[in-house]
Amino acid sequence: MAETSLAPSADRFFRALGPRTQVILCQLPLSFVVFAVAIAAYFAWPGVFGNGVFLMSLGMHALLFLACVLLPWEKFGPYVPLFIPMFDFIAIWLTRIGVPPGVPGLGVLAIFPVIWVSASSLPARSSLFLSFCGPLLISLPPLFSRLPGVSVADVTSALLLPLMMLTVSIAIRFASVNLRLQQRVLEATDREMRALFEESKEREKLLDTILETVDVGIVAVNANGDRLLTNVRQSQLEAAASPEGLPGALAVSRIEEQLTLFSQDGKSPLAPDKRPVYRATQGESFADYLVWFGEGPQRRAISTAARSLRNDDGEFNGAVVVFNDVTGLVEAMAAKDDFLSNVTHELRTPLNSVIGNLDLVLDGEHGLPPLAAQRLEVAQRNTERLLTLVSDLLLSASASLPVHPRRTDLSGLVDFCVGSAQEHAAAAKVSLLADVPVPLWAQVDPLRLGQVLDNLLSNAIKYSPDGGTVRVTARAEAEQVYLRVDDTGMGMTSADAAQVFNRFFRSREVLQSGIPGVGLGLSITKAIVDLHHGSITCTSRPGEGSSFTVVLPAEDPSPAY
Ligand code: ADP
């Protein structure tokens, strides 16, 4: 029975058929041709039906076909059906000797059983043997009929058919082996693909579960801005930002436009080009970008982050945007700032009164005993320190510092601040130097920038406990002014330098050394510089000193302060 067929798909189709159908299909071509030969013989050589051998051959062909149809092939082993092609050789042999000598070419019928045997799973040697001997049986009778005067030509023509059939069988064998190899490769590829498919289905399920379990909204977009994925949490957040619901037939790329979003201050509507998904589709990557979803008591503060996806050539391929609801955190921070601002405000009034009264007592002609005057001076110094601390707390807690920039000569401001710090520097054995071009114009609030300079200078002196040099330099470059304060003091690690602008941060060394401070000065300094649309950076090395660089706009950037 044929195990392979002309193509793997046909082979698969053939295998899917039952054993009986397979046997019938293998026998059908020969039975059909013999039937056609019988019909042709009826008209061409009617006398042939008087020949018993011919009739016997037809009967045998018919019986073989009936056997194919009736026998329960599924109950037999795989080689049993091969008896049919063997009997076919005998039936063809009978047909050939039954027809009149003038009827040509019936030996060629042997090709049908040869194909069957060659394409079967029979071992190669057996199938080649049958493919040669079967046709030999068919081509021998004419040879015998010429006995004893057999010529070389007779022997040659008798061997021609078996040799041709053997060649056909070899060709079929080669083709079968080739097909089988191909099929094996295809099956292996198929198995691999199925395994990969199963794996990717598992991964997809896992990813879906993660996406729906996490408490953050997630949106994935392609390079055109079309949404590829929106998880349930994100749909909830978007529902909160579209109280009337999103229009039904809305293009996925336009969902964000329809949302009611506000910028970080919670008041100004967020422009379309500032919206997180839009920014992400422009290839921007960002983190901690705070926006407000919706309005009224239901509104949510959302911290967003985006990461671009790029293909192997580095081209923008899409982006993933993450939305994290931080309303609780933002409200807690605001409540803390409110509390701080109220408490410090309330503390300032009695403190001012204490300082005023101490000033009056100490400055007046009250003839205080020296010891009492000394004690009162200590109380005065500490109260002033307390007032500075309370003022710093108030400043750091207030949502916005009033800043009024105007055209200011920084060289004068630097001179003034350096002059004020001289006494402190001398006491700490620090030499204070300034190298600033005159004039140096910048668009700043002189009062607030004085605060910045005072803070940087007092830190530079305070954190140079063994004395040293503090240098203030400045230069104007490309519409910007660079102001730098360098010291040769205790310095700090780069990890500490990255945190110095955080509220209440103090380095471990400073805490251990007992140098006074609360960690608010630099956060206020940074807030002031930010309000000038400038920037401040710190570089430092432990034991070698620190550098603080402030960059400010030289011209009016015309912002809304
Ligand atoms: P404070 O000086 O009151 O602690 P700041 O906000 O001014 O608060 O400074 C925060 C921290 O940064 C300091 O405690 C110190 O650890 C570090 N720091 C600031 N300036 C310097 C400096 N010039 N050299 C070394 N460390 C510094």
Side-chain angles (χ1 to χ4, degrees):
M1 188 190 343
E3 193 186 51
T4 57
S5 177
L6 287 178
S9 55
D11 183 44
R12 224 173 288 141
F13 165 76
F14 192 73
R15 276 161 193 249
L17 301 172
R20 184 195 307 270
T21 320
Q22 290 179 7
V23 174
I24 293 173
L25 280 181
C26 288
Q27 179 66 3
L28 197 61
L30 177 64
S31 303
F32 180 75
V33 174
V34 169
F35 180 67
V37 167
I39 304 248
Y42 178 77
F43 293 106
W45 313 282
V48 81
F49 284 93
N51 185 327
V53 179
F54 183 72
L55 289 179
M56 196 173 22
S57 82
L58 289 187
M60 190 165 174
H61 280 297
L63 269 176
L64 284 171
F65 188 71
L66 274 179
C68 293
V69 175
L70 298 177
L71 287 183
W73 297 106
E74 57 283 347
K75 291 190 182 154
F76 306 140
Y79 295 127
V80 175
L82 292 175
F83 281 105
I84 298 285
M86 288 182 212
F87 284 119
D88 279 342
F89 286 128
I90 299 170
I92 295 167
W93 171 62
L94 287 175
T95 312
R96 193 162 181 206
I97 57 177
V99 294
V103 180
L106 282 184
V108 172
L109 290 178
I111 196 154
F112 294 109
V114 165
I115 291 175
W116 188 339
V117 168
S118 309
S120 74
S121 56
L122 204 64
R125 265 189 224 161
S126 315
S127 91
L128 292 178
F129 175 79
L130 284 175
S131 301
F132 182 77
C133 293
L136 188 64
L137 172 79
I138 296 165
S139 59
L140 280 182
L143 194 66
F144 289 140
S145 65
R146 288 175 202 275
L147 280 173
V150 179
S151 66
V152 177
D154 291 336
V155 174
T156 311
S157 58
L159 285 178
L160 203 58
L161 181 71
L163 281 174
M164 269 165 49
M165 291 302 147
L166 184 67
T167 319
V168 168
S169 177
I170 291 171
I172 291 174
R173 274 275 149 186
F174 273 129
S176 301
V177 169
N178 197 12
L179 275 173
R180 227 168 281 166
L181 282 178
Q182 270 185 28
Q183 191 179 353
R184 254 178 235 156
V185 172
L186 278 176
E187 277 171 2
T189 317
D190 193 50
R191 271 198 302 280
E192 229 167 85
M193 298 289 284
R194 271 171 204 280
L196 280 175
F197 180 64
E198 286 304 318
E199 203 178 306
S200 83
K201 260 194 351 198
E202 285 301 312
R203 273 168 188 265
E204 201 180 317
K205 262 195 231 154
L206 181 69
L207 191 67
D208 279 353
T209 315
I210 293 172
L211 283 177
E212 300 315 336
T213 315
V214 290
D215 196 29
V216 291
I218 297 174
V219 170
V221 286
N222 64 14
N224 301 326
D226 295 327
R227 288 195 183 196
L228 305 174
L229 181 151
T230 305
N231 72 346
V232 173
R233 182 75 187 110
Q234 179 60 12
S235 306
Q236 290 165 350
L237 291 175
E238 286 177 354
S242 54
E244 269 127 56
L246 293 166
L250 188 64
V252 279
S253 56
R254 298 195 48 222
I255 290 176
E256 195 182 46
E257 286 172 30
Q258 309 294 320
L259 302 177
T260 312
L261 302 187
F262 295 91
S263 59
Q264 187 165 2
D265 62 12
K267 294 178 201 130
S268 348
L270 200 62
D273 61 335
K274 296 274 186 293
R275 298 187 170 217
V277 177
Y278 179 84
R279 283 182 62 188
T281 53
Q282 300 306 301
E284 271 187 67
S285 287
F286 50 87
D288 295 331
Y289 179 52
L290 193 90
V291 296
W292 287 89
F293 268 50
E295 47 195 337
Q298 303 303 324
R299 70 184 192 149
R300 315 296 304 163
I302 309 291
S303 169
T304 65
R307 179 70 62 83
S308 300
L309 304 171
R310 306 207 167 260
N311 63 17
D312 292 344
D313 300 330
E315 288 161 3
F316 178 67
N317 217 3
V320 176
V321 194
V322 178
F323 298 77
N324 192 8
D325 189 341
V326 290
T327 314
L329 188 68
V330 168
E331 281 173 358
M333 296 284 284
K336 191 196 76 185
D337 284 351
D338 270 3
F339 173 75
L340 211 59
S341 146
N342 288 339
V343 170
T344 48
H345 188 75
E346 292 305 316
L347 282 175
R348 253 178 19 150
T349 320
L351 272 176
N352 276 326
S353 156
V354 173
I355 289 174
N357 280 296
L358 283 173
D359 281 352
L360 282 176
V361 173
L362 284 167
D363 291 349
E365 302 292 318
H366 299 293
L368 289 173
L371 188 63
Q374 207 182 334
R375 293 268 152 87
L376 283 176
E377 274 167 14
V378 172
Q380 187 192 34
R381 272 203 305 280
N382 278 316
T383 319
E384 275 167 358
R385 225 178 116 195
L386 202 57
L387 184 64
T388 316
L389 174 59
V390 167
S391 304
D392 274 359
L393 276 173
L394 189 59
L395 268 183
S396 83
S398 43
S400 60
L401 296 168
V403 169
H404 305 289
R406 59 171 187 267
R407 196 161 185 257
T408 307
D409 177 13
L410 282 189
S411 64
L413 197 64
V414 171
D415 275 353
F416 179 78
C417 293
V418 167
S420 311
Q422 276 303 353
E423 199 184 329
H424 182 193
K429 299 195 176 54
V430 169
S431 21
L432 201 48
L433 307 170
D435 179 12
V436 179
V438 181
L440 181 63
W441 296 106
Q443 195 70 22
V444 295
D445 180 333
L447 189 75
R448 295 287 174 212
L449 207 74
Q451 244 176 308
V452 167
L453 269 168
D454 285 345
N455 214 348
L456 293 177
L457 285 172
S458 79
N459 274 355
I461 298 166
K462 189 162 68 165
Y463 297 115
S464 300
D466 306 326
T469 307
V470 172
R471 189 184 301 273
V472 186
T473 49
R475 67 194 155 90
E477 199 179 288
E479 297 182 359
Q480 285 183 317
V481 172
Y482 291 77
L483 199 60
R484 186 167 154 164
V485 178
D486 297 297
D487 66 61
T488 53
M490 61 196 289
M492 62 192 129
T493 63
S494 51
D496 285 344
Q499 297 187 67
V500 285
F501 302 109
N502 294 348
R503 262 202 252 176
F504 301 111
F505 172 78
R506 306 205 77 212
S507 70
R508 186 195 294 259
E509 289 70 27
V510 163
L511 285 171
Q512 283 166 355
S513 69
I515 299 173
V518 285
L520 281 174
L522 285 178
S523 74
I524 295 171
T525 301
K526 181 165 179 353
I528 294 172
V529 173
D530 285 348
L531 284 167
H532 283 87
H533 297 268
S535 65
I536 179 165
T537 50
C538 166
T539 54
S540 190
R541 275 169 173 268
E544 289 183 21
S546 309
S547 294
F548 286 85
T549 307
V550 178
V551 184
L552 295 162
E555 295 297 326
D556 182 2
S558 57
Y561 287 98

